[in-house]
Amino acid sequence: MQQAVGCMISKELIKSEIDNVPEERLDSLYSIVKQYSRHRSKNGGPSLMSKLKSVTIDAPEDFAENIDLYLSGDKAIG
C-alpha cells in the first residue's frame, strides 16, 4: 500500500511540473516520456542502468590505464 501511495505522489508531482514546461518544449518532453513508457512496458524487467550498476570487472589494477596493451596481447592478465 505504501508503494502505491508513493507512486501516486510522484505522478502528481510530475503532472504539476508538466504545467510549467514551455509550449515549444512539449514535443521533446512527449518523446522522452513515450520512449520511457515503451521501454518499460516491453521488457518489464530491470532497466539498462540498473543492469550496468551490477556489472563488476575482475581485472588488474592498471587494466583501464593499459586497456590497449591488454587488448593487443602485449600485456597479459594473470
Side-chain angles (χ1 to χ4, degrees):
M1 180 73 177
Q2 183 73 9
Q3 187 177 10
V5 171
C7 287
M8 292 303 291
I9 292 170
S10 295
K11 285 183 180 183
E12 291 305 314
L13 288 172
I14 291 168
K15 289 176 185 176
S16 69
E17 288 299 322
I18 289 172
D19 291 336
N20 298 323
V21 175
E23 289 287 324
E24 63 272 6
R25 298 188 71 196
L26 287 176
D27 285 340
S28 177
L29 177 61
Y30 177 75
S31 296
I32 293 167
V33 172
K34 191 70 174 176
Q35 181 180 16
Y36 181 79
S37 64
R38 232 182 285 139
H39 172 74
R40 297 297 288 165
S41 63
K42 278 184 184 175
N43 66 14
S47 68
L48 173 62
M49 289 307 293
S50 64
K51 288 179 185 178
L52 289 174
K53 286 180 185 177
S54 67
V55 171
T56 57
I57 298 174
D58 184 20
E61 203 169 299
D62 68 339
F63 186 75
E65 188 176 298
N66 296 307
I67 185 107
D68 55 334
L69 298 175
Y70 286 105
L71 291 174
S72 68
D74 291 338
K75 219 170 180 184
I77 297 177

